[in-house]
């Protein structure tokens, strides 16, 4: 987002500007710190990594996030934002300390909370007056209560309480999302004590104030539902391929139902990124801990794992055995607008194809992947050169502008699998390319006519003849 084009965001002010501390200047913490300064707060941002600290102090943003650099420069200059590696300095005079450190998944799928525990203890030790620790990171329900117990020995006579205030920022749109939230969720116990956290944000923003376990679960449930929606769209897309239907049309028709909504119904190579996969496995781990079956979340994960398997099978059906076959991949970032390749479908596909013996060449406008199982080029046509098949795995707008005739000339074969639906099917065909997709494009198999419901008619009408009248209302 360019802030010049969003004057409404620049005019927003916190209900009650205060002094606060943000611990962790990663993607969530740095975005929160600069946006909170913009809302009128005095923010002390704590970052212990020396390289990152130096960069931020010099106004360099170590993340690819539109709007953050402008706000960082503005508030380093205004003095409303200070960056330090000393928690005590960050917490001095602060009434709130936001914990924005990493919660990477463990091998079991649940988040590793050591960094957050460490940050909470350090903040509690540094507190000189009543301090509210606000947990922004995604943590299992019960974590805020556990943190409050954990910090008790550190805080002396000073009151330190813990609140949950999960973030819902999307990578690449985090500043926009910060200033235009669908809701601010604040979890506190007792619920009456939410005022301090609620008033960190503009009074007009929609809010949900609840107990801490519920607030913690909102984040897991919201991301798991988004994952379920995507996996459902991919399941429908698979059915469309089997039936010879068009997934774009089907899901468009489904998404127009206001009860369902069109967002996150896009079929593709599966969901990736640092949040959705982690939060779905976190949801499952939380459920397992209380013997809850979490069937929907598990199904969303299983369908997502099948997405890459399905793409490999599709490419193999189109070009034949993969050993020694050259495949060009367009897109390594987990989605357009970011250089993040964590749980990226493109990288997952590259790894799976390479394991099947294919030779991989790849392009991405932003992401650079040192551990690529193949070669990465700066130019998409070079990545396509000599390829039997080209697969588009990230919906970068630049790929819409590809010269498809040139692409055809560069390739050795003619198969294009557009897993993200950015290319025009008719234009691909006109350029002499074979168009495959997820639930769209050329069908791979033979689709038998579905005669089941009409079988009685083909076999002859029942003796009494069918009644012709309106059926029951509804479905
Ligand atoms: C997500 C949540 O949206 C955000 O609220 C949370 O705070 C962090 O996790 P992010 O990881 O930035 O944000 O990505 P998002 O835009 O949600 O996309 C997630 C994945 O779903 C991407 O791989 C994307 O390509 C995929 N996706 C999205 C689909 O496959 N189909 C869709 O229709 C939408």
């Amino acid at each position: 987002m360019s802030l010049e084009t969003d004057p409404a965001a620049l005019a927003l002010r916190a209900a009650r500007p205060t002094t606060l501390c943000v611990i962790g200047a990663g993607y969530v913490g740095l975005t929160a710190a600069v946006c909170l300064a913009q809302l009128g707060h005095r923010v002390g941002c704590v970052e212990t990594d020396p390289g990152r600290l130096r960069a931020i102090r010099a106004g360099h943003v170590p993340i690819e996030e539109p709007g953050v650099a402008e706000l960082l420069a503005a508030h380093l200059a205004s003095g409303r934002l200070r960056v330090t590696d000393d928690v005590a300095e960050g917490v001095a005079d602060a009434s709130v300390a936001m914990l924005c450190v990493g919660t990477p998944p463990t091998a079991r799928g649940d988040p590793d909370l050591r960094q957050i525990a460490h940050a909470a203890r350090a903040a509690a030790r540094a507190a000189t007056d009543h301090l509210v620790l606000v947990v922004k990171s995604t943590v299992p329900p019960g974590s805020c209560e556990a943190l409050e117990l954990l910090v008790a020995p550190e805080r002396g006579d000073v009151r330190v309480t813990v609140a949950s205030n999960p973030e819902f920022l999307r990578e690449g749109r985090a500043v926009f999302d910060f200033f235009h939230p669908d809701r601010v969720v604040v979890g506190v116990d007792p619920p009456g004590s939410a005022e301090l956290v609620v008033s960190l944000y503009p009074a007009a923003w929609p809010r949900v104030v609840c107990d801490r376990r519920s607030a913690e679960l909102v984040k897991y449930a919201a991301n798991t539902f988004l994952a379920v929606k995507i996996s459902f769209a991919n399941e429908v897309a698979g059915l469309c391929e089997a039936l010879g239907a068009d997934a774009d049309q089907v899901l468009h028709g489904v998404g127009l139902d206001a009860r369902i909504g069109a967002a996150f119904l896009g079929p593709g190579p599966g969901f990736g990124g640092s949040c959705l996969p982690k939060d779905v496995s976190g949801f499952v781990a939380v459920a397992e801990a209380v013997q809850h079956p979490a069937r929907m979340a598990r199904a969303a994960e299983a369908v997502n794992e099948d997405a890459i398997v399905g793409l490999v099978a599709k490419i193999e059906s189109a070009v034949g055995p993969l050993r020694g076959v050259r495949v060009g991949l367009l897109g390594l970032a987990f989605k357009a607008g970011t250089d993040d390749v964590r749980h990226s479908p493109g990288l997952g596909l590259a790894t799976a194809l390479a394991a099947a013996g294919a030779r991989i060449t790849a392009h991405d406008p932003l992401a650079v992947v040192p551990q690529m199982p193949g070669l990465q080029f700066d130019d998409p046509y070079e990545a396509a050169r000599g390829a039997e098949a080209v697969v588009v795995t990230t919906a970068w707008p630049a790929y819409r502008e590809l010269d498809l005739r040139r692409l055809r000339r560069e390739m050795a074969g003619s198969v294009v699998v557009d897993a993200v639906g950015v290319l025009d099917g008719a234009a691909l065909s006109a350029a002499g390319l074979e168009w495959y997709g997820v639930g769209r494009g050329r069908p791979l198999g033979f689709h038998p006519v579905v005669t089941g419901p009409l079988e009685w008619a083909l076999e002859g009408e029942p003796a009494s003849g069918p009644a012709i009248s309106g059926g029951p209302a509804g479905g």
Side-chain angles (χ1 to χ4, degrees), residues 204-407:
W205 285 359
R207 66 185 63 142
V208 176
V209 176
C210 55
D211 64 276
R212 291 180 286 191
R213 287 188 187 199
S214 301
E216 290 164 326
L217 194 53
V218 169
K219 178 64 191 285
Y220 274 114
N223 271 358
T224 300
F225 186 73
L226 293 174
V228 166
K229 254 188 126 178
I230 296 167
S231 281
F232 181 76
N234 280 334
E235 186 156 289
V236 170
L239 194 55
C240 287
E241 288 179 19
L243 291 172
D246 180 333
D248 284 337
Q249 301 295 345
V250 173
L251 291 163
H252 178 59
V254 172
L256 282 177
D257 186 324
R259 293 168 301 175
I260 298 171
F264 280 72
L265 268 191
F271 57 81
S274 65
C275 284
L276 255 55
K278 170 171 79 74
D279 289 356
V280 181
S281 58
F283 185 98
V284 170
V286 163
E288 247 166 22
V290 291
Q291 288 86 47
H292 183 285
R295 284 193 288 266
M296 304 279 285
R298 286 179 203 272
E301 271 186 325
V303 171
N304 205 50
E305 279 158 23
D306 283 354
I308 297 296
V309 178
L311 278 172
V312 173
K314 188 168 285 171
I315 298 161
E316 192 158 28
S317 313
V319 302
L322 290 170
R323 184 149 300 280
V325 165
R326 184 174 279 216
V327 180
L329 292 186
L330 300 185
L332 293 169
F334 86 90
K335 65 173 184 179
T338 175
D339 62 350
D340 194 343
V341 295
R342 283 176 288 177
H343 293 279
S344 133
L347 201 50
L349 183 63
T351 308
L353 288 169
R359 289 183 300 144
I360 307 301
T361 47
H363 167 264
D364 191 277
L366 220 50
V368 179
V369 187
Q371 73 277 30
M372 246 290 290
L375 295 172
Q376 193 178 342
F377 293 93
D378 292 339
D379 179 292
Y381 301 102
E382 273 186 62
R385 190 162 299 153
E388 291 296 331
V390 162
V391 190
V392 189
T393 37
T394 310
W396 284 107
Y399 294 150
R400 290 184 201 280
E401 313 302 327
L402 282 173
D403 176 344
L404 297 178
R405 289 181 196 280
R406 179 168 170 208
L407 191 75

Side-chain angles (χ1 to χ4, degrees), residues 54-346:
R54 249 192 325 274
I56 295 170
R57 276 186 171 152
H60 300 307
V61 175
I63 51 171
E64 191 64 44
E65 201 56 62
V68 171
E70 289 157 85
L71 289 176
L72 178 64
H75 294 299
L76 285 174
S78 73
R80 284 222 290 272
L81 181 67
R82 288 170 298 125
V83 192
T84 173
D85 59 359
D86 180 3
V87 176
E89 189 189 329
V91 167
D93 305 328
S95 50
V96 168
M98 290 196 168
L99 307 179
C100 302
V101 292
T103 54
T106 65
R108 282 200 316 256
D110 50 354
D112 178 346
L113 300 184
R114 279 176 297 184
Q115 288 185 51
I116 213 163
H118 182 76
R121 276 187 163 136
R125 260 197 306 276
T128 51
D129 204 347
H130 178 202
L131 181 70
V132 181
L133 300 179
V134 172
V135 178
K136 280 264 162 212
S137 316
T138 306
V139 292
S143 299
C144 286
E145 291 158 63
L147 279 175
E148 207 164 273
L149 293 175
L150 184 85
V151 302
E154 315 286 341
R155 62 183 170 80
D157 293 335
V158 177
R159 206 172 140 226
V160 176
T161 50
V162 181
S164 166
N165 176 211
E167 57 80 20
F168 300 94
L169 311 177
R170 288 166 293 179
E171 281 187 42
R173 292 177 63 86
V175 171
F176 177 88
D177 286 350
F178 185 95
F179 289 117
H180 303 275
D182 291 328
R183 74 300 206 194
V184 172
V185 176
V186 176
V188 284
D189 289 304
S193 60
E195 192 44 35
L196 181 60
V197 182
V198 164
S199 63
L200 295 175
Y201 302 104
W205 285 359
R207 66 185 63 142
V208 176
V209 176
C210 55
D211 64 276
R212 291 180 286 191
R213 287 188 187 199
S214 301
E216 290 164 326
L217 194 53
V218 169
K219 178 64 191 285
Y220 274 114
N223 271 358
T224 300
F225 186 73
L226 293 174
V228 166
K229 254 188 126 178
I230 296 167
S231 281
F232 181 76
N234 280 334
E235 186 156 289
V236 170
L239 194 55
C240 287
E241 288 179 19
L243 291 172
D246 180 333
D248 284 337
Q249 301 295 345
V250 173
L251 291 163
H252 178 59
V254 172
L256 282 177
D257 186 324
R259 293 168 301 175
I260 298 171
F264 280 72
L265 268 191
F271 57 81
S274 65
C275 284
L276 255 55
K278 170 171 79 74
D279 289 356
V280 181
S281 58
F283 185 98
V284 170
V286 163
E288 247 166 22
V290 291
Q291 288 86 47
H292 183 285
R295 284 193 288 266
M296 304 279 285
R298 286 179 203 272
E301 271 186 325
V303 171
N304 205 50
E305 279 158 23
D306 283 354
I308 297 296
V309 178
L311 278 172
V312 173
K314 188 168 285 171
I315 298 161
E316 192 158 28
S317 313
V319 302
L322 290 170
R323 184 149 300 280
V325 165
R326 184 174 279 216
V327 180
L329 292 186
L330 300 185
L332 293 169
F334 86 90
K335 65 173 184 179
T338 175
D339 62 350
D340 194 343
V341 295
R342 283 176 288 177
H343 293 279
S344 133

